[in-house]
Amino acid sequence: MNGIRTVAVLGAGIMGRGIIANLQQAGYALRLYNRTRARLDGLATPRDTVCATPAEAAEGADAVLSVVADAAASREVWLGRHGALTTMVDGSVGVEISTLSAEWARQWHEAVTARGAGAAVAPVTGSRPGAEAGTLIVFAGGADIVLDRLEPVFSAIGQKVIRMGGIPEAVGFKLVYNMLCGTILVAAAEALSLAESLGLAPAHVTAILSAHGWGAGVATSKGRNMTEAHFTDVECAVGTLSKDLAYALRARPGGAPPLLVSQRAQQQLNRACDEGMADWDMAAVKAVYRAR
């Protein structure tokens, strides 16, 4: 396994569970931590070690992977009182799979390397189905020597690894990627809302949009969920995508053109969160477009 035999995984949420299952299948010895320990019930195998803290999980691990909700959760699992960096040793590797803010990613990189460990980021796309099937696309960032060492780990969880360059480039690209996905999603919700207002049959509209034009991807994956209000099968939560767009907007350098469309999309996602839909599937943003 190219020097990495024991992997700590911090986080067993929507993405983490699938990633853990595929690392198990690849034969890695896992040290698992989740803030809510019960999430690991039925997931950990006899070969795995369920740990009480991130520090315990990182102890003795060749690589430590974090798959958590946001920058605040990432900060806690790495730098908290019982954070992973308190027990990581020289020669181990810290990997952030979470979608992070640009500012926290810089701080995280500095903290990991100050500890004497290698550092890489590996944000992914593919949502829950990709995590479960091991078909994620990995946007890897870090020194080549570190990424070379991690290649078998990435191959266990994804079907393709795209090297973006350094950590800032990989983090920045994932924010660009999710910003585009978020704006397309909100635009689809708005378009379907207009179709309903015009008296068009939702199923017919969704079928056509799924087969033709630039909106085919989002119409195929989320059109039916939107028109039939099926939001409980969560592939990516509204709150997660809203957070990602907020990070992207904050990453805009001073003097760069304003991101007006993305600002509006993030407002709509945030509105859905305010209306109690933060933990629902991202298709639930359609519900904010109600007749007035």
Side-chain angles (χ1 to χ4, degrees):
M1 294 180 187
N2 200 29
I4 294 179
R5 294 176 175 82
T6 302
V7 178
V9 182
L10 313 178
I14 290 175
M15 300 297 290
R17 293 181 67 85
I19 287 171
I20 288 168
N22 282 292
L23 290 173
Q24 289 168 334
Q25 188 173 357
Y28 289 98
L30 301 183
R31 300 179 63 81
L32 305 176
Y33 166 79
N34 191 69
R35 183 175 58 182
T36 304
R37 191 183 180 107
R39 284 269 185 102
L40 295 170
D41 292 346
L43 181 62
T45 69
R47 190 182 181 195
D48 304 329
T49 303
V50 176
C51 302
T53 66
E56 182 185 348
E59 190 171 0
D62 301 310
V64 181
L65 279 58
S66 168
V67 195
V68 295
D70 54 27
S74 173
R75 181 183 294 275
E76 182 62 24
V77 298
W78 292 102
L79 299 184
R81 181 180 175 188
H82 300 291
L85 286 184
T86 62
T87 57
M88 286 180 68
V89 297
D90 290 356
S92 58
V93 182
V95 185
E96 256 301 353
I97 295 177
S98 323
T99 300
L100 303 176
S101 65
E103 57 267 32
W104 165 240
R106 287 192 294 269
Q107 296 170 28
W108 173 82
H109 184 198
E110 292 170 359
V112 173
T113 54
R115 181 69 183 179
V121 295
V124 296
T125 187
S127 297
R128 192 199 71 219
E132 292 174 347
T135 57
L136 296 169
I137 307 299
V138 181
F139 304 121
D144 283 337
I145 191 170
V146 176
L147 298 183
D148 288 345
R149 190 178 176 203
L150 290 167
E151 192 73 25
V153 177
F154 294 158
S155 295
I157 67 173
Q159 64 177 334
K160 187 173 186 178
V161 180
I162 302 174
R163 296 198 182 189
M164 301 303 304
I167 286 175
E169 288 76 19
V171 170
F173 176 77
K174 185 54 167 31
L175 296 179
V176 168
Y177 185 94
N178 282 17
M179 185 179 78
L180 179 60
C181 292
T183 54
I184 291 172
L185 180 81
V186 174
E190 199 161 283
L192 290 172
S193 176
L194 175 61
E196 291 171 0
S197 298
L198 294 173
L200 303 178
H204 192 46
V205 169
T206 299
I208 296 171
L209 292 177
S210 297
H212 306 285
W214 290 3
V218 68
T220 299
S221 63
K222 294 299 174 186
R224 184 174 179 181
N225 299 71
M226 288 183 177
T227 57
E228 297 182 3
H230 290 166
F231 308 137
T232 55
D233 185 19
V234 182
E235 296 183 353
C236 175
V238 173
T240 299
L241 191 56
S242 178
K243 173 267 300 182
D244 292 348
L245 262 69
Y247 286 169
L249 292 168
R250 277 166 38 193
R252 182 180 71 91
L259 305 173
L260 301 179
V261 175
S262 298
Q263 287 174 359
R264 181 58 176 164
Q266 200 275 330
Q267 289 171 3
Q268 294 297 79
L269 289 164
N270 197 49
R271 179 180 164 193
C273 293
D274 290 343
E275 294 184 11
M277 294 178 270
D279 295 329
W280 296 7
D281 184 76
M282 57 188 173
V285 70
K286 167 67 167 58
V288 304
Y289 291 93
R290 299 183 182 92
R292 297 182 182 276

